[in-house]
Each structure stands twice: as C-alpha cells, then as structure tokens.
Amino acid sequence: MVSCWLLAFASTAIAVATASTPLTRVAFGSCNDQAKKQPLWPAIVARKPELWVWLGDNIYGDYRIVNASSFVPPFPFFRDAPPEMLAAKYRKQLAHPEYAKFRASTPIIGTWDDHDYGRNDGNKQYPFRKESQTLFLDFIQEPAQSPRRQQEGVYASHTYGEGAQAVKFILLDVRYHKDPYGTPNGDFLGRAQWAWLEHELATSTAAFNVIGSGVQVVPDDRWYGGENWARFPAVRLRLLDLLLRSSAKGIVLISGDVHFAEINQVVCGDARITEVTSSGMTHAWQQYVGVRAKLLPAWIFTLGNIFLPWHYRVDPWRFFAGLNFADIEFDWAASPPVATFRVRDVHGAAKLEQRVVSAPMPAGASAAATCTAPHEVHPVMYALQKLALSATVVSLVLCVPINVILALIVLKRILVRFVFGPEKPAPIKTAKLH
C-alpha cells in the first residue's frame, strides 16, 4: 500500500503542468454529449481562456437498452460501454470542428464522471475501468510516459504560475475506486487517493486551490436522490474536515453532473466552503421547449425550485438551468488576490457570480459535523415542502394520462361527426287523440 501512495505522489510531481506566467482566465464545463449540437464553443473561445478544465461526462460513452428487463429491479436502462464503443465516441468528440480548433490552441486538463467512465452511476465494479482510463488519458493528451498512466484512477494535480500567483487544480476521481451505493462505510476515493489528496493540500503553497469533483460535494439536501457526496455521508464529512483543517489558501470546489448551474456554500463556524457547479454543455434541465417528452422533467425541475428551499445556495433563488459553462478570472493586483467565478450562457452572458479571496481557513472554523447550510430550514418545514412538491408532481404526472384520454374521447367524437354527420335527434312521439 505504501508503494501505491508513493506512486500517487510521484504522478503528481511529473504530471503537473507548470507555467511561469500566472493565469488570468480559466474556463470549465461538464456534461457534453458528442452526439448532440455543441453551441457553447464560440462563447467559450470568445472568453479566451488560458486553460480548459473538463469536469466529467466529457462524452456520453455508456448506452441504454429499453426492454422488458429494464423495468425489473435493478432497472438496467444503462449498460456497460465496451472499450471500442468508448473509443469511437471519443473520436467523434475529437473530430468536432470547433472543439478540434479549440484543443489545438488551448491547454486542456480534466477528470471524468460516470458517462465517460463507461457506466451510468459507475463504480469500481465496471469491468473495463483500466481500458477506460487509457482512453480518457489519450483524450486529454496525457504524455505517454506519465506515471498517471500507471496509477489506478485519473486523479491529478496541476499547478500554474509561481509563488504568490500560483493556482493549483486538484482533480479528483470519484469513479475508479467508488463503492456501489448502499455499501456500508462506502467511499468515493479509495485509500491511495485519500493519502494523495492529503499530501496535495498539506504541501500546497498556491494562492488558490481549486478542487474538481465530477459530482457535487456541498449539498446534502437533494430531494431527487441524485448522485453527490452525501450518498456516503461519512466520506463527505471527511472531505470537509480535511479542507477545514488545511492551511492551503483559497480553497474552492468546482463540480458538474447535475445539468444546471448553481453556487453552494457550507458554513462551518467562521469558515465557508464554496462550490461552483457548472453542468449542461449540450443538454440542461430548462432548455426544452415545445411539446417534447423531456418537457415534463423540465416542469418538475422548475417546480422543485419553487417549492424547495435549496438552502445551501448562496442565494436560494439563484440558479441557471440553460446550457452553460463557467470561467474564473484571477485579479492578482488585489490584496489579497481574488478569483471571480462566473457561470455563462450560450451567448457568454454571466448568469451567476461568486468571488473567492486567497486566504487560508480562519482559525474559527468548526468541525464538519457542525457545519450548516447558509439558509437553514427547520426539518419539519423542509419535510412539508418536499411533501407539497411530491403531491404537485404526482398530480401533474396523473394529469398527463387523464388529459390524453379526454383528448382521445374528443377526437373520436369529432371523427364520428365528420364521417357519419351530426347525430339526428330522435323523433318526438306524440300520443294520438281519440
């Protein structure tokens, strides 16, 4: 096991891309389906980022089969992608004209999530994880001799700039070593990656430490039960405790996965940990218009944002569910330096914004177990809000078949009237007078 840790540390030292010139602008994004239109690249290019960071679902490599078995637990809609399928989909993304041009002029780093890993909600049981790692590293042009190709998992760190103007990106792998959900004491990272992460934070002298995770870390209140670190509560607290105890400056989390963008924080005494989520480069919750099958989920998402408190958000009412990417601008003239995160739409317009100052965690930071949301809601009130949302969603879903039946009845009457003509009134019988 010690040798695994040493290999992880060695990969950090060699895989790091160091530049003497400080970064001024970085862009990042996630959830990019190679088979769909990719309208964000012109807006991304216009921002002139000096670095691009993939945060997962960089392609959609897994696939679905819907048949009778799909409706029997464990509901296997998604199937394991074999390596040749992943390779073909990576080639398709690499051949995208705008991405190919962007890739030729902009350094690219990143990590993966489930769909580019090869299995929806994938974990360490995915049978092609080694082959998938090779394909991913080829995709981001990892050098052939990089020790990152020898370790188990795609986690890595990259430092840009020097001294007081250095920025360190610590990219986690939440798939290769992830336990299946429901595993007692389940984990996302595995022992070697935890040791590596602790080392990266303990030895960092960067002004900003940007930690990338394929799934969200901060929120533990997701009504819809999606993937996030709260699915393994003890592991989420372990990560937060590690960040709170760290002397590293300017710690901020970035994540993807959820197909919308938001900015969350967790309050731990005098400390706040910020997470900026940008997700949905080719498909997002509220992009659907017209009568389409996905219009109903878009309505449900909108209702969720009306009913639920979303109390980890910096502003509970601020989110963006259209196609989006994000960028970071570093102001090195400020004292202390400031990093400004902005989520942007397909036109490059800023939709969300958050400033992070280069400073270590304050002395008054509390333990993770006592951390709270910025807008704490009483558990009873939260339960009532979820109940109200559930009732509304059920009513909405039930309305669909009822309205379909009513529409068919009306259509039948119209067709009958058109084919056979209007119904003739029954003759009125009159009694004969004697």
Side-chain angles (χ1 to χ4, degrees), residues 52-69:
W52 172 259
V53 185
W54 282 115
L55 283 178
D57 296 341
N58 313 316
I59 62 164
Y60 278 68
D62 54 356
Y63 66 105
R64 308 181 195 189
I65 293 180
V66 180
N67 54 29
S69 68

Side-chain angles (χ1 to χ4, degrees), residues 151-172:
Q151 71 183 30
E152 293 186 330
V154 302
Y155 55 91
S157 71
H158 306 262
T159 301
Y160 297 87
E162 297 177 344
Q165 296 183 335
V167 179
K168 187 171 191 176
F169 290 89
I170 302 173
L171 304 178
L172 306 179

Side-chain angles (χ1 to χ4, degrees), residues 33 67 119 190 204 228 296 305 313 339 347 358 361 369 372:
D33 190 332
N67 54 29
R119 176 69 185 269
S204 177
N228 52 59
L296 181 60
N305 278 277
R313 288 179 182 166
H347 304 293
S358 174
M361 291 291 172
T372 61

Side-chain angles (χ1 to χ4, degrees), residues 207-361:
F208 293 97
N209 290 270
V210 183
I211 302 172
S213 169
V215 297
Q216 290 183 309
V217 175
V218 167
D220 66 354
D221 61 342
R222 295 295 124 118
W223 165 78
Y224 50 82
E227 285 202 286
N228 52 59
W229 279 66
R231 296 288 291 271
F232 294 134
V235 173
R236 173 180 175 271
L237 292 179
R238 179 181 177 181
L239 177 59
L240 293 179
D241 266 328
L242 177 60
L243 302 183
L244 291 166
R245 295 195 315 268
S246 173
S247 60
K249 297 179 181 178
I251 291 177
V252 61
L253 297 159
I254 57 175
S255 57
D257 178 59
V258 292
H259 299 277
F260 64 95
E262 62 180 355
I263 299 172
N264 290 295
Q265 285 184 339
V266 61
V267 181
C268 307
D270 294 336
R272 287 186 179 233
I273 298 174
T274 299
E275 179 174 15
V276 180
T277 299
S278 174
S279 172
M281 292 181 64
T282 57
H283 48 306
W285 277 97
Q286 289 182 333
Q287 77 179 92
Y288 305 109
V289 294
V291 181
R292 297 180 58 184
K294 292 184 178 179
L295 183 60
L296 181 60
W299 284 345
I300 293 173
F301 176 80
T302 303
L303 288 171
N305 278 277
I306 293 172
F307 280 93
L308 299 181
W310 301 89
H311 45 290
Y312 280 96
R313 288 179 182 166
V314 175
D315 182 340
W317 296 101
R318 294 293 305 278
F319 68 97
F320 182 66
L323 300 183
N324 67 90
F325 70 100
D327 61 19
I328 317 169
E329 290 188 315
F330 298 97
D331 182 357
W332 300 113
S335 182
V338 173
T340 302
F341 293 74
R342 294 184 179 91
V343 172
R344 298 184 181 275
D345 67 9
V346 70
H347 304 293
K351 296 297 182 179
L352 303 172
E353 181 176 318
Q354 182 67 31
R355 296 171 75 252
V356 176
V357 175
S358 174
M361 291 291 172

Side-chain angles (χ1 to χ4, degrees), residues 406-429:
L406 291 175
L408 291 174
I409 292 172
V410 172
L411 180 61
K412 178 186 175 183
R413 287 183 175 274
I414 293 173
L415 290 175
V416 168
R417 188 179 184 89
F418 179 77
V419 174
F420 299 104
E423 295 181 7
K424 296 180 179 180
I428 300 174
K429 295 182 179 180

Side-chain angles (χ1 to χ4, degrees), residues 17-222:
T18 303
S20 58
T21 304
L23 289 173
T24 58
R25 184 179 294 117
V26 176
F28 62 91
S30 66
C31 301
N32 180 78
D33 190 332
Q34 73 287 341
K36 297 181 183 293
K37 293 181 179 180
Q38 300 181 30
L40 286 176
W41 292 116
I44 294 170
V45 170
R47 296 299 302 160
K48 299 180 180 179
E50 297 148 350
L51 178 71
W52 172 259
V53 185
W54 282 115
L55 283 178
D57 296 341
N58 313 316
I59 62 164
Y60 278 68
D62 54 356
Y63 66 105
R64 308 181 195 189
I65 293 180
V66 180
N67 54 29
S69 68
S70 302
F71 299 93
V72 178
F75 308 108
F77 286 102
F78 290 90
R79 307 301 170 97
D80 293 339
E84 57 272 18
M85 180 179 289
L86 285 172
K89 293 180 177 181
Y90 274 124
R91 287 195 298 269
K92 185 176 181 64
Q93 178 59 32
L94 290 171
H96 187 280
E98 289 175 302
Y99 179 66
K101 186 177 179 180
F102 178 71
R103 178 172 174 256
S105 61
T106 308
I108 293 175
I109 61 175
T111 187
W112 59 15
D113 197 25
D114 53 342
H115 294 293
D116 43 352
Y117 178 60
R119 176 69 185 269
N120 183 56
D121 295 355
N123 53 53
K124 64 185 181 183
Q125 295 177 344
Y126 173 54
F128 306 113
R129 61 179 184 165
K130 291 184 179 180
E131 296 89 338
S132 181
Q133 176 171 335
T134 298
L135 291 168
F136 170 80
L137 295 177
D138 290 344
F139 174 67
I140 61 169
Q141 297 180 293
E142 187 73 18
Q145 302 304 316
S146 169
R148 193 181 183 191
R149 291 184 178 272
Q150 305 303 317
Q151 71 183 30
E152 293 186 330
V154 302
Y155 55 91
S157 71
H158 306 262
T159 301
Y160 297 87
E162 297 177 344
Q165 296 183 335
V167 179
K168 187 171 191 176
F169 290 89
I170 302 173
L171 304 178
L172 306 179
D173 181 341
V174 296
R175 294 297 163 188
Y176 199 97
H177 299 281
K178 174 181 168 290
D179 291 312
Y181 291 126
T183 302
N185 302 313
D187 192 10
F188 277 107
L189 303 185
R191 184 176 296 183
Q193 190 174 178
W194 274 112
W196 166 83
L197 176 58
E198 291 171 4
H199 175 81
E200 290 297 319
L201 288 169
T203 59
S204 177
T205 58
F208 293 97
N209 290 270
V210 183
I211 302 172
S213 169
V215 297
Q216 290 183 309
V217 175
V218 167
D220 66 354
D221 61 342
R222 295 295 124 118

